Amino acid sequence: GSWFRKPTRGAIGCKPVDLVIPGSTVRPLGAIVLAAGLGTRMRSARAKVLHELGGRPLVRFPLAALAPLEPSRVVVVVGHQADEVGAAARASGLPVETALQPEQRGTGHAVQCAVPALQGFDGDLLILYGDVPLVTTATLRRLVEAHRAEQAQLTLLTMRFEDPTGYGRILRDGAGRVRGIVEHRDATAAEREIKEVNPGLYCVRASILLPLLRELRADNAQGELYLTDVVGLAAAAGHLVTSVELERPDEVAGINTRAELAQMEAQL
């Protein structure tokens, strides 16, 4: 339904996450939380992630899901009402830094804005959204564990819908390997028949993400820099790209309108 996201679109001190995979080296874990948008469909002057659910601003929910993983770096990308969003994020108790996205030019541009705050970080990065309050620690942990168990450079969540309208479709090669994502607006008629879609959560090695971000181009229907293009760029460069299927799609239910906010409030 309309709840689900339709892609378009401090202090340091915590110890690295303790996710040990046999035969692997544990790397630091960081996170980028995208929280810069106003959310025009909310019909409010308040930034979307400052609207409250259960008495807490939306941005606090994904940060609460992250907290048990003890990330050593957390960058929240802010834009509209940047100071207020930053204050709400820092109230989570995580080692939050903020990065300003002065104008919204797409999800890829938002992550580019986080790069200066991640200088010197050489670990795994979770990328998620500030307006997806139902995502669980278990799902984030499963994503990181699968990423490390496969020794992948990039791992993304996927899910399946009978009606995938609006979502980016997962493209696979003949061997079943992920080779990219095509957004709904840019997809061919055949690609729109694909049921496997992208909810927008990733775990990626910082060492490959930063160079790939420089290759993003806005040659698409939206005229924006898509973060989803990083997946195809990574596969084309020979990096190992893997996926984890989300078991409960309701976890990535986004909030785009006040009606959806009220409906989720009632559910909680």
Side-chain angles (χ1 to χ4, degrees):
S2 62
W3 273 25
F4 295 101
R5 166 173 299 281
K6 294 185 177 182
T8 37
R9 67 167 163 76
I12 307 297
C14 290
K15 62 184 179 180
V17 61
D18 185 20
L19 294 174
V20 180
I21 306 300
S24 70
T25 300
V26 177
R27 295 182 295 272
L29 181 70
I32 298 173
V33 181
L34 306 184
L38 175 61
T40 54
R41 290 167 60 191
M42 297 293 284
R43 298 186 181 278
S44 170
R46 179 187 295 181
K48 185 200 291 191
V49 297
L50 291 177
H51 284 265
E52 292 191 350
L53 180 67
R56 289 188 296 167
L58 291 175
V59 73
R60 291 278 296 280
F61 285 83
L63 293 171
L66 277 170
L69 304 185
E70 298 183 307
S72 61
R73 304 285 291 273
V74 179
V75 179
V76 177
V77 180
V78 298
H80 293 283
Q81 295 179 282
D83 291 342
E84 292 88 342
V85 173
R90 285 188 290 273
S92 67
L94 286 172
V96 168
E97 303 168 73
T98 58
L100 179 65
Q101 185 185 22
E103 57 178 329
Q104 280 65 65
R105 295 172 46 208
T107 49
H109 178 249
V111 176
Q112 285 179 347
C113 292
V115 168
L118 291 165
Q119 292 301 317
F121 181 79
D122 185 20
D124 296 312
L125 285 167
L126 280 168
I127 303 176
L128 62 163
Y129 291 89
D131 63 344
V132 181
L134 300 185
V135 68
T136 65
T137 300
T139 289
L140 297 180
R141 186 183 299 275
R142 182 167 164 248
L143 179 59
V144 176
E145 288 182 339
H147 176 75
R148 292 178 171 175
E150 296 291 332
Q151 299 184 46
Q153 278 77 48
L154 189 154
T155 305
L156 65 152
L157 282 181
T158 72
M159 56 188 184
R160 294 178 185 274
F161 282 127
E162 281 306 307
D163 180 10
T165 302
Y167 286 91
R169 308 306 204 275
I170 306 299
L171 304 178
R172 296 183 181 270
D173 64 18
R177 294 180 293 255
V178 175
R179 63 178 178 86
I181 299 171
V182 60
E183 296 291 7
H184 179 88
R185 291 192 181 192
D186 302 299
T188 65
E191 290 167 341
R192 290 185 181 185
E193 294 300 314
I194 296 171
K195 307 297 186 185
E196 187 181 23
V197 302
N198 170 48
L201 277 73
Y202 312 87
C203 186
V204 57
R205 286 293 305 270
S207 58
I208 75 149
L209 175 64
L210 307 187
L212 291 176
L213 288 171
R214 300 189 190 103
E215 298 184 37
L216 294 180
R217 299 292 182 268
D219 52 352
N220 52 64
Q222 292 286 88
E224 296 181 344
L225 297 178
Y226 290 161
L227 179 61
T228 49
D229 287 346
V230 165
V231 176
L233 290 169
H239 297 302
L240 178 59
V241 178
T242 60
S243 64
V244 174
E245 188 165 343
L246 186 61
E247 297 171 348
R248 293 183 51 199
D250 60 304
E251 282 191 41
V252 291
I255 294 176
N256 294 305
T257 67
R258 292 192 192 192
E260 291 171 355
L261 180 65
Q263 186 177 3
M264 194 174 291
E265 180 87 25
Q267 177 186 349
L268 291 179

